[in-house]
Amino acid sequence: MALDDVYTEVLGEHSRNPDHKHHLACATCTMKGHNPSCGDEITLELNVEDGMVKEAAFTGVGCAISQASTDIMAELIRGKSVEEARGLAQKFISMIKGEITDEEELEELDEALALKNVAHMPARVKCAVLAWHTLDDALKSDK
Amino acid sequence: MADVQEFLKDFPLLNGEIDGKHIAYLDNGATTQKPHQVIQSICGYYGGCNANPHRGAYALSVKATDIYESARKRTAQFIKAKRPAEIIFTKNATEALNLVAYSYGLQNVGAGDEIVISISEHHSNLVPWQFVAKAKGATLKYIYLEEDGNLSQEDIETKITERTKIVAVTQVSNVLGLKNDVKSIVKKAHSVGAVCVVDGSQSVAHMAVDVQDLDCDFFAFSGHKMLSPMGIGVLYGKYEILDAMEPFLRGGDMIEYVQEQESTWAELPSKFEAGTQNVGGAAGLTAAIDYLEGITFDRIEAIEKDLVDYALPQLRELPYIELYGCDSKQDNKTGIIAFNIKDVHPHDVATILDNDGVAVRAGHHCAQPLHRYLQQNASCRASFYLYNTREDIDRWIAALKKVRGVLGYGA
């Protein structure tokens, strides 16, 4: 697989200039995510009201894949219901595990589709899914 | 000088292809590749000599015992131990260091005592001492670094005190690649009545080690970082100290008499080798020692130095590369180069290098406190061994030059 199948322009853009990498003054819930073996660390901050994810942001350090994945996720889940957001997280994780490959079924992942090829890089799967597992943990505990 | 093709031919993995690529293997600090002499010795053991040593009264078992005990003798000669009984076989250096922590540390460290280690320790020579300190109400103190990455001489002088019971240091840092003057640290430890534990994981495959000259009380290393199979490691300990220690693991082969309610222990070294041991691994270790001594450490050191001297000036020319431990004021740099590329996380660097068949380590290299001290989240590490060539370095540096571009940064 060619490098630019993974290090796509979308990924590069989100890792170099993340839109949502900042603190959230109105956060109702924060959740830390960590890959101890490689040191990726994120803190996800969410504003959840009336079952809706109104705002999402994050801070942390990590590789381009983990940081871009988190930024793309934050953009995607803003304005979604908690149920929808958790559904997206499940779908993303399934995509990276290679369980769902049908583009049509994955369409709602939008920009996150740019990370699809990480499924072919076993060593980097954990970088891609960190944010989404953290999101699921955050929304589970928010309930 | 770096024309080491004569060794290269001995390493089947380096001559083959991984996913269609010839690999430039620069992760020798993590584990080394194995020459066919070592692979053959393991096959030879399992194919012709396998039986449980120390047990059966039949020829094959005697043969297995012979192979195992010869490995002990060979290892004792290799690190210049006074007697074979001072060599305890373990699974790896981590188990060896845990043995010391449990069997010596818990017995000899008390409330208010101090254990002194360096900030550049691998977790295997750090976490066990945290455990002992916590369990006994002792304090764990750190020797920090000078600007150039070497251990602070002032810390060595001031932190090792009358309260110190154990000093544990690595002979070579697995990240910075700097060789510590452990002999003088041992001396300092002894001057206050402490024992000194030396982690030889990154040194024993790369330089001649003489434990009697170092005068260290314990010395630990892993076979797999010195051409041997995984699963065989060594703890050297001074006889009188080991003899006074309680066992670490209990069970078969380490006992003298077992009564219903109590037992007595076998003599050294059996006391510390409970259960069936890794005889195939010990056979491989013997073959690895033979192989290394055949080449000589003078040559191995010269090869690694040539590679470092060849790589460093080229790395320094790349303005986006940050190097760690490469400006030592002493002549003590070994074949380990830790680095980062500006704006790029080490894992992305490693993935991009891997795409060109260059294998380096990325992450914290089991040295989180050191990385925190260096104010780095993680780093990349290239580590060399006798079969590496200047061509490997060329491939590494050519791949490094691509990294920023792949991620959309200008050079």
Side-chain angles (χ1 to χ4, degrees):
Chain A
M1 192 186 40
L3 271 180
D4 54 12
D5 289 341
V6 173
Y7 291 105
T8 58
E9 252 174 66
V10 175
L11 184 142
E13 191 49 47
H14 280 278
S15 69
R16 288 193 307 273
N17 304 304
D19 296 320
H20 303 289
K21 192 168 182 173
H22 52 76
H23 283 292
L24 210 56
C26 57
T28 57
C29 146
T30 65
M31 184 61 70
K32 277 185 194 250
H34 188 207
N35 281 330
S37 66
C38 57
D40 291 335
E41 273 175 22
I42 57 161
T43 302
L44 193 60
E45 303 187 16
L46 302 173
N47 175 280
V48 182
E49 279 174 37
D50 309 325
M52 297 290 287
V53 181
K54 296 207 161 154
E55 267 299 339
F58 73 104
T59 55
V61 286
C63 64
I65 294 173
S66 73
Q67 299 297 293
S69 184
T70 312
D71 197 51
I72 291 169
M73 183 190 80
E75 177 65 34
L76 188 66
I77 61 172
R78 291 164 80 219
K80 300 281 196 302
S81 73
V82 167
E83 292 315 314
E84 284 171 323
R86 290 189 69 185
L88 288 167
Q90 280 319 315
K91 194 163 270 189
F92 181 88
I93 292 164
S94 298
M95 174 179 81
I96 299 295
K97 283 184 176 167
E99 292 165 357
I100 307 178
T101 51
D102 180 31
E103 294 268 346
E104 217 165 287
E105 201 183 332
L106 295 172
E107 206 183 335
E108 59 176 330
L109 289 176
D110 199 22
E111 274 200 313
L113 263 172
L115 290 152
K116 192 177 174 200
N117 284 321
V118 176
H120 305 299
M121 304 179 80
R124 305 306 299 277
V125 162
K126 62 186 186 312
C127 313
V129 297
L130 174 65
W132 305 77
H133 278 302
T134 310
L135 174 68
D136 198 53
D137 287 347
L139 295 178
K140 230 185 318 192
S141 67
D142 197 63
K143 268 192 150 178
Chain B
M1 177 60 247
D3 181 23
V4 294
Q5 304 297 339
E6 58 166 298
F7 310 134
L8 204 48
K9 71 170 174 14
D10 293 333
F11 292 81
L13 185 142
L14 298 173
N15 290 298
E17 288 187 345
I18 310 290
D19 297 332
K21 275 173 262 175
H22 207 69
I23 189 170
Y25 185 77
L26 302 178
D27 195 16
N28 295 289
T31 198
T32 58
Q33 298 306 333
K34 322 302 176 196
H36 72 79
Q37 290 88 336
V38 167
I39 297 168
Q40 283 308 317
S41 74
I42 301 160
C43 294
Y45 170 72
Y46 283 110
C49 313
N50 178 56
N52 209 322
H54 301 156
R55 286 184 170 85
Y58 50 91
L60 195 59
S61 171
V62 173
K63 209 166 182 177
T65 306
D66 250 9
I67 290 175
Y68 189 59
E69 291 307 322
S70 306
R72 195 188 309 281
K73 273 189 211 127
R74 193 75 186 84
T75 307
Q77 289 165 356
F78 178 61
I79 59 168
K80 311 232 169 15
K82 216 180 276 175
R83 48 202 283 197
E86 294 178 318
I87 301 297
I88 312 293
F89 285 125
T90 62
K91 178 167 75 181
N92 47 33
T94 297
E95 190 184 75
L97 293 162
N98 273 276
L99 191 163
V100 182
Y102 275 82
S103 291
Y104 185 87
L106 291 180
Q107 305 299 321
N108 292 282
V109 175
D113 287 343
E114 293 171 353
I115 299 169
V116 178
I117 68 175
S118 89
I119 192 70
S120 41
E121 295 312 308
H122 186 283
H123 294 164
S124 60
N125 199 25
L126 189 157
V127 180
W129 304 120
Q130 283 181 340
F131 160 73
V132 173
K134 275 211 177 125
K136 307 305 290 189
T139 307
L140 183 60
K141 285 164 71 179
Y142 284 87
I143 296 165
Y144 294 103
L145 309 179
E146 309 280 2
E147 276 287 292
D148 67 355
N150 283 304
L151 301 186
S152 158
Q153 201 52 45
E154 190 190 328
D155 280 4
I156 292 170
E157 289 305 323
T158 57
K159 295 200 173 166
I160 300 172
T161 69
E162 299 295 325
R163 289 185 176 174
T164 308
K165 290 290 178 284
I166 296 172
V167 178
V169 285
T170 187
Q171 192 166 18
V172 171
S173 154
N174 73 315
V175 177
L176 301 173
L178 299 173
K179 186 180 166 190
N180 294 322
D181 179 8
V182 287
K183 194 175 171 177
S184 74
I185 297 171
V186 170
K187 218 172 175 180
K188 176 70 190 172
H190 288 170
S191 76
V192 298
V195 296
C196 191
V197 184
V198 176
D199 175 3
S201 301
Q202 296 294 340
S203 59
V204 77
H206 304 271
M207 59 192 68
V209 167
D210 181 336
V211 290
Q212 289 190 67
D213 178 59
L214 294 176
D215 199 24
C216 55
D217 301 284
F218 298 99
F219 188 91
F221 61 97
S222 290
H224 72 91
K225 292 188 203 290
M226 52 170 286
L227 309 181
S228 312
M230 293 181 177
I232 186 84
V234 173
L235 173 69
Y236 157 83
K238 284 184 180 164
Y239 191 92
E240 304 68 37
I241 298 177
L242 287 174
D243 196 41
M245 281 159 57
E246 282 293 298
F248 174 41
L249 300 173
R250 292 162 171 81
D253 230 23
M254 52 74 68
I255 46 79
E256 183 187 30
Y257 296 106
V258 179
Q259 311 293 344
E260 282 194 19
Q261 300 301 326
E262 53 200 296
S263 303
T264 53
W265 316 132
E267 298 277 301
L268 287 176
S270 303
K271 182 170 77 172
F272 290 107
E273 293 181 356
T276 297
Q277 297 297 300
N278 184 358
V279 183
L285 183 65
T286 302
I289 293 172
D290 288 344
Y291 187 87
L292 290 170
E293 289 192 340
I295 292 166
T296 76
F297 281 108
D298 282 348
R299 267 195 89 184
I300 293 169
E301 280 181 293
I303 291 164
E304 293 176 7
K305 183 177 181 341
D306 177 74
L307 295 170
V308 170
D309 290 348
Y310 180 67
L312 275 182
Q314 299 187 64
L315 292 168
R316 289 190 213 279
E317 267 178 35
L318 306 176
Y320 45 80
I321 288 199
E322 190 169 345
L323 297 165
Y324 310 105
C326 291
D327 292 300
S328 176
K329 286 179 187 139
Q330 303 167 33
D331 181 22
N332 63 343
K333 180 71 178 166
T334 68
I336 295 174
I337 297 179
F339 64 97
N340 266 319
I341 294 190
K342 190 166 169 273
D343 303 320
V344 184
H345 192 277
H347 278 99
D348 297 313
V349 176
T351 293
I352 295 165
L353 298 190
D354 179 50
N355 195 60
D356 284 343
V358 178
V360 300
R361 176 86 189 264
H364 48 63
H365 322 308
C366 297
Q368 287 184 15
L370 174 63
H371 278 86
R372 226 165 274 128
Y373 180 78
L374 296 171
Q375 296 178 320
Q376 297 297 320
N377 188 249
S379 65
C380 298
R381 179 187 70 183
S383 47
F384 313 142
Y385 207 24
L386 55 98
Y387 39 65
N388 287 125
T389 61
R390 286 190 176 197
E391 190 197 328
D392 292 336
I393 307 284
D394 291 341
R395 288 176 60 193
W396 170 40
I397 290 175
L400 282 179
K401 289 176 180 169
K402 294 185 194 168
V403 169
R404 284 176 58 84
V406 170
L407 284 155
Y409 292 100

